[in-house]
Amino acid sequence: MSNPAVKPRPLPGVLLFGLLPVALWFIARPLLDPIPPLPALYASVGLSILAFLATIHLVPRLGPVFISAHLKGRDLLKIYHDPIPESMGLVCAAIYILLLMLFIPFAFSSSIMHRANGSPTPEGINIVDFPHHQLSVYLSSLLSLLTATMLGFLDDVFDIRWRHKLPIPIIASIPLLMVYYAERGNTHVVVPLPLRALLGTLVNLGPLYYIYMSLLSTFATNSINILAGINGSEVSQALIIALSVVFNDLLYLPWPIGFRVPLHLLGNKSEVEFGGVWNAGMSYGSRELVERHLFSLYFMLPLVAVCVGFLYHNWYPARAFPGDTLCYVTGMAFAVVGIQAHFSKTLLLFFIPQIFNFLLSCPQLFGLVPCPRHRVPRFDPNTNLLHPSKAIFEKPPSQLTTFVLHTFATLGLTELTVHPASGVILEATNLTILNFFLVRLGPMNEKRLVQVLMCSQVAGSLVAFVVRYGLAGLVYDGDRR
Amino acid sequence: MSNPAVKPRPLPGVLLFGLLPVALWFIARPLLDPIPPLPALYASVGLSILAFLATIHLVPRLGPVFISAHLKGRDLLKIYHDPIPESMGLVCAAIYILLLMLFIPFAFSSSIMHRANGSPTPEGINIVDFPHHQLSVYLSSLLSLLTATMLGFLDDVFDIRWRHKLPIPIIASIPLLMVYYAERGNTHVVVPLPLRALLGTLVNLGPLYYIYMSLLSTFATNSINILAGINGSEVSQALIIALSVVFNDLLYLPWPIGFRVPLHLLGNKSEVEFGGVWNAGMSYGSRELVERHLFSLYFMLPLVAVCVGFLYHNWYPARAFPGDTLCYVTGMAFAVVGIQAHFSKTLLLFFIPQIFNFLLSCPQLFGLVPCPRHRVPRFDPNTNLLHPSKAIFEKPPSQLTTFVLHTFATLGLTELTVHPASGVILEATNLTILNFFLVRLGPMNEKRLVQVLMCSQVAGSLVAFVVRYGLAGLVYDGDRR
């Protein structure tokens, strides 16, 4: 542990110490008169700051404990061989879930609710908080998160093979589905305008809706898990997606000011107006929409906090690895808010890089192209640069594989090495978004590559917002049941 | 793995295969007309049989996986050194919690409830099921169980020292306490008759009640955990306590027949009457009492099932060890039903051997007497018998220790070795109930010792029932708020 590159990263003590009273003020705010309009949101912000502080302090503290319990790995893309603690997403998940548990009285306690309801009504929609009966929905979400954490950690301990673990997140979605069923959850979906002549405005998907929900959790979990391998990749994706969800939620809350986005410049007929106490942002007066997006915020704010805290230690060169646990818990958190707050289509738009990576990976996932155990880029210790790693064909590929790979190569998604005489494909760069970046932009170091990945994630979110609020008006009206 | 003593125990295939259709019939029963009076109870019995089958099949199947993940130990009280899979209580806990999750729609789904309520009312109390609003209480209990499982498994993986792990179960009780608070749970206790002149009929304990609840979970967990060390000890304790709780619950359900226990023979004024649709057993017409004990049954029946399934493999000579995970999850399950179904005092009565063991252990737990890492009895490989193990005094004990040990020795609880000349204590048998049995009954083999332990647990439960239904009438009236 004498290597300075793997010593715990020093913490800015004064800054962190100064955050503690801020956190405590936010947590105490719902108990102080005059009660603010959204008291539980204050507590959520305060608990999130605590989550950040706990994560940034506990991760380096617990690293040696993880190493001594065989939860360690070496960094494949470095010159040193020192063991790095693995599965430390468990610390993040534990802090995240513990603080979500401690949040229960703030959001659901009848005494706080009662005091808040007793305060003089402000103008516009008076959303004090979401109603008491949502407690079981909240608890089922916590159960799913905790199950996902457990399964992620078991995956780390027992090292389950990736083909076997694809369906595991479905187990974690069971509490969600069971309570959704018991509460007679809505299984209707709004039909896009062009299909309404055929199907009507609403279609009841029935059991299909449950399958859709469990697949959403599997997708969210695995799509983050397969876009991994370099320092900071998993947690930075999760962070940017969480921030995008938070930003989207904020559009629906009652704000003291109102403003509009000039979307007619993008060719949309209607303008997007948000903010303003009277119409509670984009909720346009729907109390239910405000409640849903509050619910989402309560799950996303602490997630952002633990991701920031963990990224500090997972940033290049990484002092801690997230393990599968982090991917499981963040993926399940996104699935939870997408399902419970009913914006799963919007959520999927924030996964554009992951969807691209998944589609790109399909030939390897489904056996057309050989899939090595690790598809991370190749590290050149002399230049400290990453190069695209390659899948090697032991025997000549089939016609279908050859066709797919030539198509991918024409699109610039992969680089092929062909036999100079026969034209048979000998090698192809591994089909991941990371190797794609290296193929398109040339070799670069690991820190640069994760920055490129983060930029693509931010760009994906910008596209998502344009699609959601610019183009969705072409196929959907305002009906959001 | 060629040693026949540690090969997986063969399963009675035909018998188990025959149980599967029985389980499925019970699970399907609530969906078939005519709906029975307690439909969810049928599903609970069916799911419990499934839990038993899953446990008895999966434990030997997963043993090698646990061994290869370093979750193994050798049996200290055997002549062979083969590795035995450790922490296999995790399998039990996972099956237990998964089936409790799958049970949610049966107990809480509005469609099943609706159909059941629509059926013609039988005579007497018509308890179809406990009401919908209890879903959040059920879910918070599941969260506590899952947290306990997680913490137990972390304890196994990270091997936390016992002094540090004593307060860990308090964390697992957080979801329970938070939801209890949010739901404005009852914090009043009924005052015993002799104290009523002073305190009135009910006393509001307020915050103290929450401390009591978290201590109950700590006690239930740790008291099973410290009465461990021989094959089958942990799981047999849990099994007998769970069976006692089940038996107690059954007294409160509506039965088609009514009968009375002639308690006046024991000197009690009132007779104990149970059974009968009209008064719903000992609930004497209280719908709430019936609901509480149904709630308890829903948690206890699958627990009995997984304990039986696991005991089959943990029985002498053990093929699988439970680890701390089993103690955590069973202890938390008892705390959950004691708290949520409001019979914590009765529950504590079922822990008589554990309380005895705890009191006996106090001098070692609190540092008066040296406490070795393992206090299990000493194994003599030549005779295959267990002898009391001893704590050795490196330096002469203090006056207080000498006094305590002489008192214990006079009561027959320990055997001392004193210096023949000076009378200074040199050794004392370790202060556990297992060593106590060996001191009183002489050396015996391990199987015999666990049988003695089980007999003492059964005897404790019998005493508990006499105290609860015979003597409690002297200090409590029928008021059970």
Side-chain angles (χ1 to χ4, degrees), chain A residues 370 391-399 401-403 405-406 415-428:
Chain A
I392 295 158
F393 288 89
E394 307 274 330
K395 46 188 178 185
S398 70
Q399 273 196 308
T401 305
T402 308
F403 172 73
L405 282 179
H406 276 300
E415 255 173 17
L416 305 178
T417 316
V418 294
H419 194 279
S422 65
V424 171
I425 299 173
L426 301 174
E427 293 177 337

Side-chain angles (χ1 to χ4, degrees), chain B residues 340-475:
Chain B
Q340 307 282 34
H342 296 268
F343 58 84
S344 55
K345 291 194 295 295
T346 310
L347 179 75
L348 283 176
L349 285 175
F350 297 136
F351 278 80
I352 291 173
Q354 283 73 24
I355 293 171
F356 175 75
N357 184 55
F358 172 73
L359 294 176
L360 189 60
S361 298
C362 278
Q364 287 193 298
L365 295 183
F366 297 113
L368 280 182
V369 174
C371 186
R373 176 116 175 85
H374 291 287
R375 301 190 296 161
V376 287
R378 183 173 59 79
F379 175 61
D380 182 348
N382 299 315
T383 60
N384 203 28
L385 293 182
L386 298 182
H387 298 261
S389 62
K390 288 178 179 173
I392 295 158
F393 288 89
E394 308 273 331
K395 46 189 178 185
S398 69
Q399 272 196 310
L400 177 61
T401 305
T402 309
F403 172 73
V404 168
L405 283 178
H406 277 299
T407 313
F408 274 31
T410 313
L411 294 170
L413 302 172
T414 182
E415 255 174 17
L416 305 178
T417 316
V418 294
H419 194 278
S422 64
V424 171
I425 299 174
L426 301 175
E427 293 176 337
T429 59
N430 277 313
L431 301 169
T432 69
I433 198 172
L434 296 177
N435 287 307
F436 163 73
F437 288 142
L438 293 171
V439 165
R440 301 304 329 145
L441 307 173
M444 58 182 104
N445 68 30
E446 191 176 353
K447 187 174 171 183
R448 188 72 197 284
L449 183 57
V450 79
Q451 286 168 341
V452 170
L453 177 65
M454 289 170 76
C455 289
S456 77
Q457 192 79 47
V458 171
S461 287
L462 291 178
V463 171
F465 278 103
V466 170
V467 171
R468 171 65 186 82
Y469 296 102
L471 308 179
L474 302 179
V475 288

Side-chain angles (χ1 to χ4, degrees), chain B residues 42-379:
Chain B
Y42 283 78
S44 179
V45 171
L47 289 171
S48 299
I49 299 174
L50 277 193
F52 164 73
L53 291 174
T55 310
I56 207 167
H57 278 109
L58 280 179
V59 166
R61 212 57 82 75
L62 293 174
V65 181
F66 275 64
I67 289 180
S68 62
H70 299 282
L71 295 164
K72 61 186 174 184
R74 68 161 286 236
D75 199 328
L76 297 173
L77 307 180
K78 300 290 183 301
I79 46 168
Y80 48 83
H81 288 236
D82 305 67
I84 307 284
E86 177 63 272
S87 313
M88 294 221 69
L90 179 65
V91 178
C92 305
I95 293 167
Y96 177 54
I97 293 172
L98 183 63
L99 290 186
L100 284 177
M101 285 175 183
L102 292 175
F103 178 63
I104 293 172
F106 292 96
F108 302 99
S109 140
S110 23
S111 59
I112 292 177
M113 296 278 291
H114 186 75
R115 287 185 60 204
N117 278 321
S119 64
T121 314
E123 53 171 344
I125 298 181
N126 177 23
I127 299 290
V128 172
D129 223 320
F130 54 96
H132 203 210
H133 69 79
Q134 287 220 13
L135 178 54
S136 51
V137 173
Y138 185 88
L139 292 173
S140 72
S141 308
L142 275 185
L143 265 175
S144 279
L145 286 174
L146 193 50
T147 310
T149 306
M150 187 85 202
L151 293 170
F153 188 61
L154 291 181
D155 189 354
D156 281 332
V157 170
F158 293 111
D159 205 12
I160 303 169
R161 292 180 54 183
W162 74 263
R163 270 174 207 276
H164 295 156
K165 73 193 188 191
L166 277 184
I168 287 181
I170 293 179
I171 298 173
S173 67
I174 288 177
L176 226 54
L177 304 187
M178 292 294 139
V179 172
Y180 204 87
Y181 180 78
E183 294 270 7
R184 281 176 182 264
N186 188 355
T187 55
H188 290 80
V189 289
V190 179
V191 176
L193 293 175
L195 297 176
R196 286 206 186 158
L198 234 68
L199 300 170
T201 313
L202 284 177
V203 161
N204 187 2
L205 290 183
L208 285 180
Y209 196 83
Y210 290 88
I211 295 174
Y212 169 68
M213 286 194 285
S214 56
L215 290 182
L216 186 69
S217 60
T218 314
F219 167 77
T221 302
N222 286 305
S223 66
I224 296 177
N225 210 358
I226 65 171
L227 209 174
I230 62 171
N231 292 173
S233 56
E234 298 94 334
V235 65
S236 64
Q237 294 170 66
L239 175 62
I240 294 168
I241 296 171
L243 283 173
S244 308
V245 174
V246 166
F247 186 74
N248 183 54
D249 290 333
L250 290 179
L251 298 180
Y252 292 82
L253 295 194
W255 292 98
I257 45 159
F259 41 100
R260 22 180 93 211
V261 180
L263 264 183
H264 56 93
L265 301 180
L266 286 163
N268 198 357
K269 279 167 292 178
S270 66
E271 304 238 325
V272 170
E273 193 172 4
F274 60 98
V277 271
W278 282 97
N279 50 20
M282 295 204 56
S283 303
Y284 300 114
S286 158
R287 189 191 169 101
E288 200 184 348
L289 273 180
V290 177
E291 284 168 358
R292 286 177 186 175
H293 287 280
L294 269 177
F295 182 93
S296 166
L297 270 183
Y298 295 159
F299 279 87
M300 285 297 117
L301 290 178
L303 189 69
V304 167
V306 294
C307 284
V308 173
F310 188 68
L311 189 57
Y312 185 79
H313 300 288
N314 186 226
W315 189 251
Y316 177 90
R319 268 72 165 175
F321 288 154
D324 291 323
T325 318
L326 189 88
C327 301
Y328 275 74
V329 74
T330 53
M332 187 49 70
F334 296 132
V336 158
V337 299
I339 291 168
Q340 307 282 34
H342 296 268
F343 58 84
S344 55
K345 291 194 295 295
T346 310
L347 179 75
L348 283 176
L349 285 175
F350 297 136
F351 278 80
I352 291 173
Q354 283 73 24
I355 293 171
F356 175 75
N357 184 55
F358 172 73
L359 294 176
L360 189 60
S361 298
C362 278
Q364 287 193 298
L365 295 183
F366 297 113
L368 280 182
V369 174
C371 186
R373 176 116 175 85
H374 291 287
R375 301 190 296 161
V376 287
R378 183 173 59 79
F379 175 61

Side-chain angles (χ1 to χ4, degrees), chain A residues 85-114:
Chain A
E86 177 63 271
S87 315
M88 295 221 68
L90 179 65
V91 178
C92 305
I95 294 168
Y96 177 55
I97 293 172
L98 183 63
L99 290 186
L100 285 176
M101 285 174 182
L102 292 174
F103 179 63
I104 293 172
F106 292 97
F108 302 99
S109 140
S110 24
S111 60
I112 292 178
M113 296 278 291
H114 186 73

Side-chain angles (χ1 to χ4, degrees), chain A residues 409-453:
Chain A
T410 312
L411 294 171
L413 302 172
T414 183
E415 255 173 17
L416 305 178
T417 316
V418 294
H419 194 279
S422 65
V424 171
I425 299 173
L426 301 174
E427 293 177 337
T429 59
N430 276 313
L431 301 169
T432 70
I433 196 172
L434 295 177
N435 287 306
F436 163 73
F437 288 143
L438 293 172
V439 165
R440 300 305 330 145
L441 305 173
M444 58 182 104
N445 68 29
E446 190 176 354
K447 187 174 171 183
R448 188 73 196 285
L449 184 57
V450 78
Q451 286 168 341
V452 170
L453 177 67

